[in-house]
Amino acid sequence: MVETALPADRASAPLPGNAGGAPAVLKVAAVTRRFFGVAALDGVGFAVPAGRITGLIGPNGAGKSTLLNVVSGLLRPDAGQVRFEGDDVTGMKPHRLAARGLTRTFQIARGFPKMSVFQHLMLYGPRQPGERLLQAPMWSRAARDREAELAERALAIAGRLRLSPLLDAPVTALSGGQKKLVEIGRTLMAEPRMILLDEPMAGVNPSLGAEIAAHLQALNAEGISLCLVEHDMALIRQLCHHVVVMAEGRTLVTGSFDEVVENAEVQEAYLGRRH
Amino acid sequence: MLSYLLFSVTIGGIYALLSLALNLAWGGAGLVNLGLAGFFGIGAYATALATGAGAPLAIGLVVAMAAGVLAGLAITGLTLRLRDDYLAIVTLGFGEIVRLVALNERWLTNGADGMSGILAPGKAALGVAGFNQAWAAGVTLLVILVWLLLRRLDQSPFGRALRAVREDQELAGFAGKPVLRLKYQAFALSAAVAALAGALYAHFQSYISPDHFQPLITIYIFLAVTAGGIGRPVGAVLGAYCVVAFLEATRFLAAVVPGIEAVQVAALREALVGLSLLLVLHLRPKGILPERIPPAPKAPS
C-alpha cells in the first residue's frame, strides 16, 4: 500500500499499515519555505511514527536539508506547521526544542574546536542548574550533584561508543569517523526522545558505518525515534521501518522501503522521465 | 619612588580588572568588545556624578556597576546579529560615542575640562602616602576577589556553556544552551567589571576627563589579555600587570637611549608596545598562560 503525493492537509491522517499504527511523534504539515522566491519547501507534509526509524530520502535539491533545518528550529517556515509530540513547535528556538527532547546531528560533524570530547558530552547534559549565572559562582549542592550525575553518564556513553581513550582530546584531533561518534554521544547526553540525523554515514568508512548503524538500532531499541536523511539506499533498507520520499519540496511517497522503490514516481524523481 | 611604585600597582590593578572584564566577554563568550574604554568611562563618570551629588563611595561604586550593566545590556541588544569584526567595529564606535558625549555634554560632564575634586576617600585622613598605600592594597584585594569569582564562573557549567557560544553559537543552541541569555549575561557582567575599574580610577585620580578614555586603553587591554593568555582569568591578570610594568619601564627610555627628545620617547614607547605584541604573538601565540582543557574525571573501576 503506497500513499502517493500526500496532500498537506492530510499529513495528519493515519499512516499506512507499514507504520505499524504507531502514533506520530513528529508531524509536518504544509510547510513552505522560500529562498529569494525559490520554494525549497513547497507544502511538504508527513508524519514520523514514534519509536521507529524513519528514512527521509529524495534526490539532491528535494529540500531534505531545508526541512531538517525548519524542524530543528534553525529556519522559520514561511507557512505550515510542525508538531512534536502533539505540541505546535513551529519556529521554536533550537534550545527549547532540545529541552523538549528533539535534537539533531549534522552532515559534516560539527564541534567546538577548543573543547575536549568529555566537555562536549557534559555540555549536552540538560537541566544543569550551574549554567545559571547566579548559581555558577556558588557551585550549589544541586549543581555539583547534577555535574556528578552527568559525568557518570558521559563516561558510560563514552565507553559504549569506545571513545574512552579520547576523552581529553580536543575534537579537532579526532578523525572524521570519531567525530561522528562524538556527535552521537553528545546527542545521547541530551536525553532525546527524537533525533534528526543528517546523513550520519556521509564520509565514513564501511566498517565504522556498520558500527554507527548498530548504535542507531540500539538507540531505537531504547525507544528513541529516529529520522534520518541518507543517500545510502542499502542503509535505508537495512535500518528504516518507514520511508518518506521528497522531491521538489513536496512529499512524493511514503511507505516501506520496498514499496517506495517500486513506485514509478520515485523512480522518475531519481532517474528522470522515460521518453 | 615608593609612591610611584604604589601608583603603578594601583593602575596595574585597574588594568587587571579591565583585562578580567575583556577576558569574560572575549575569552569566555567570544564577544569582541573594542568599546572597553567606553564602559570604563561610563563607570568613572557614573560614580563621579553620584558621589558628587553626595553619595558615599560604596553607593558610587554600585551606581557605576549598574550603569555598566545597563550599557552592556543595551549594546548586546543592539548588536545581537553581529559577531567578530562587525561587533568589534560597532563596539569601537560605542566607546568613541561615550567619549564624545563626555566631551560635549558640558552640563553633565564639564566637557573637556573634566571633572575634578572627585571624592577620594581616605586622602584627608591618611595623607598622600597612606592614601596611596591603602588604595594599592584595596584595589589589589578587589582584583583578587573579582579574579576568584570569574575563575569560578569560568570553571562552572556556566563557563562551559559560554565557551560553546564562543566556539559555535548556532551549535550551542542545538546543545540546548540559551545563547541569547548567555550573551546578555556575559556582556553585562563584563561591562560591570569594566565600569568598576573606571569608578576606582576616578576616585583614585580624583580627576577625570574625556582624554582618559581614549581607545588606546582598549588596545592596551587587548594586548594584556592576548599576552597573558586569552580564555584564562589568571592569564588576563598577569598580562595586565606585565603591560603596566612594560609601559612604566619604557618611561625611562630617555635615560637609556641617548640623543632623543621627550616627544620621541613617547613615539618610541608606542612602537615598543606594538613590537612587544608582535613578539608575544610570534613566540607564545596562545599567551603566557594559555587556556587549559580541564581533564575528565577518572572512571570508577
Side-chain angles (χ1 to χ4, degrees):
Chain A
M1 180 172 99
V2 174
E3 202 175 20
T4 322
L6 197 87
D9 55 349
R10 281 181 57 208
S12 55
L15 290 159
N18 49 57
V25 60
L26 179 78
K27 283 182 191 168
V28 175
V31 166
T32 301
R33 169 73 204 204
R34 292 170 186 282
F35 293 103
F36 310 105
V38 179
L41 297 176
D42 192 9
V44 63
F46 61 86
V48 174
R52 301 301 179 96
I53 305 183
T54 301
L56 184 59
I57 63 173
N60 287 323
K64 304 179 300 290
S65 295
T66 307
L67 179 72
L68 227 54
N69 286 341
V70 166
V71 172
S72 63
L74 197 58
L75 293 176
R76 270 186 162 279
D78 296 327
Q81 198 183 44
V82 180
R83 297 183 86 87
F84 178 62
E85 295 187 326
D87 299 327
D88 184 358
V89 296
T90 318
M92 197 177 267
K93 291 264 171 120
H95 74 272
R96 300 217 179 277
L97 289 170
R100 284 171 174 261
L102 177 62
T103 59
R104 70 167 292 176
T105 67
F106 292 87
Q107 183 179 347
I108 298 158
R110 286 167 75 170
F112 305 103
K114 287 187 187 163
M115 292 171 72
S116 68
V117 170
F118 180 71
Q119 284 181 299
H120 273 77
L121 297 176
M122 295 298 284
L123 178 74
Y124 276 66
R127 298 184 304 282
Q128 166 55 278
E131 278 174 10
R132 306 211 149 268
L133 176 61
L134 293 181
Q135 290 209 28
M138 260 74 89
W139 259 117
S140 68
R141 180 75 196 233
R144 271 180 289 137
D145 287 352
R146 181 70 182 144
E147 193 77 350
E149 252 171 60
L150 290 177
E152 197 180 319
R153 257 169 62 82
L155 294 177
I157 285 175
R160 181 170 160 182
L161 295 171
R162 290 195 276 154
L163 288 170
S164 301
L166 298 166
L167 275 174
D168 288 329
V171 281
T172 41
L174 303 184
S175 73
Q178 288 165 336
K179 284 181 187 160
K180 291 263 177 189
L181 290 174
V182 171
E183 179 131 31
I184 291 174
R186 68 189 195 195
T187 308
L188 278 184
M189 283 299 291
E191 299 173 15
R193 285 202 293 284
M194 176 170 186
I195 309 176
L196 303 160
L197 300 119
D198 194 357
E199 300 198 30
M201 307 299 175
V204 167
N205 73 55
S207 74
L208 185 63
E211 195 180 313
I212 290 175
H215 286 310
L216 296 184
Q217 280 177 319
L219 296 182
N220 181 241
E222 289 171 19
I224 301 172
S225 314
L226 304 180
C227 177
L228 53 116
V229 169
E230 188 53 69
H231 284 296
D232 181 344
M233 287 302 154
L235 185 84
I236 294 282
R237 180 207 292 271
Q238 179 201 342
L239 286 180
C240 299
H241 307 109
H242 183 70
V243 176
V244 176
V245 186
M246 279 182 72
E248 293 171 359
R250 281 187 280 261
T251 317
L252 197 59
V253 178
T254 64
S256 74
F257 182 80
D258 292 336
E259 285 166 344
V260 301
V261 292
E262 290 301 318
N263 185 277
E265 283 191 66
V266 174
Q267 292 175 356
E268 191 183 300
Y270 268 95
L271 302 172
R273 195 184 299 272
R274 191 174 296 172
H275 292 286
Chain B
M1 189 62 193
L2 178 68
S3 72
Y4 172 64
L5 275 180
L6 287 172
F7 169 84
S8 300
V9 166
T10 309
I11 294 296
I14 286 165
Y15 273 44
L17 287 173
L18 284 172
S19 297
L20 283 167
L22 181 65
N23 185 56
L24 175 63
W26 184 37
L31 300 166
V32 182
N33 181 6
L34 275 181
L36 203 64
F39 295 104
F40 186 57
I42 282 178
Y45 276 101
T47 194
L49 291 168
T51 52
L57 174 70
I59 302 289
L61 296 185
V62 170
V63 167
M65 288 171 77
V69 166
L70 287 179
L73 291 176
I75 291 299
T76 320
L78 289 172
T79 58
L80 280 180
R81 290 169 178 277
L82 304 178
R83 272 187 82 74
D84 305 329
D85 307 359
Y86 301 99
L87 180 63
I89 291 166
V90 172
T91 50
L92 181 64
F94 164 78
E96 280 300 277
I97 288 170
V98 169
R99 197 172 63 82
L100 290 174
V101 167
L103 195 59
N104 292 296
E105 300 300 318
R106 297 187 57 88
W107 60 274
L108 188 68
T109 62
N110 205 23
D113 294 340
M115 298 177 75
S116 55
I118 300 169
L119 180 70
K123 204 162 199 167
L126 300 170
V128 173
F131 175 79
N132 277 343
Q133 284 168 9
W135 272 79
V139 168
T140 305
L141 194 68
L142 266 175
V143 169
I144 292 171
L145 279 176
V146 173
W147 165 62
L148 286 174
L149 177 79
L150 293 186
R151 191 181 68 143
R152 199 135 182 154
L153 271 186
D154 189 57
Q155 293 169 347
S156 76
F158 175 83
R160 186 169 62 214
L162 219 52
R163 264 203 180 87
V165 173
R166 176 189 76 186
E167 309 269 292
D168 185 338
Q169 57 173 340
E170 195 178 284
L171 193 56
F174 286 112
K177 305 305 148 203
V179 175
L180 275 190
R181 169 168 76 73
L182 290 166
K183 275 183 162 185
Y184 271 112
Q185 288 177 336
F187 207 87
L189 185 60
S190 160
V193 174
L196 174 67
L200 293 171
Y201 182 77
H203 289 296
F204 178 61
Q205 297 281 46
S206 126
Y207 167 71
I208 51 172
S209 77
D211 274 353
H212 292 134
F213 308 106
Q214 300 274 6
L216 190 61
I217 288 200
T218 311
I219 303 305
Y220 285 154
I221 301 303
F222 266 82
L223 172 61
V225 174
T226 309
I230 177 167
R232 193 157 156 202
V234 69
V237 173
L238 178 76
Y241 283 111
C242 286
V243 163
V244 169
F246 184 83
L247 287 175
E248 295 302 323
T250 52
R251 280 183 199 281
F252 304 100
L253 271 178
V256 183
V257 184
I260 58 171
E261 292 166 20
V263 183
Q264 291 168 315
V265 170
L268 198 55
R269 279 179 75 195
E270 304 299 330
L272 280 173
V273 168
L275 184 66
S276 64
L277 179 59
L278 283 178
L279 273 179
V280 168
L281 288 178
H282 186 67
L283 298 174
R284 302 272 314 194
K286 289 177 177 174
I288 302 164
L289 297 173
E291 183 175 339
R292 281 184 307 190
I293 292 180
K298 291 283 161 278
S301 47

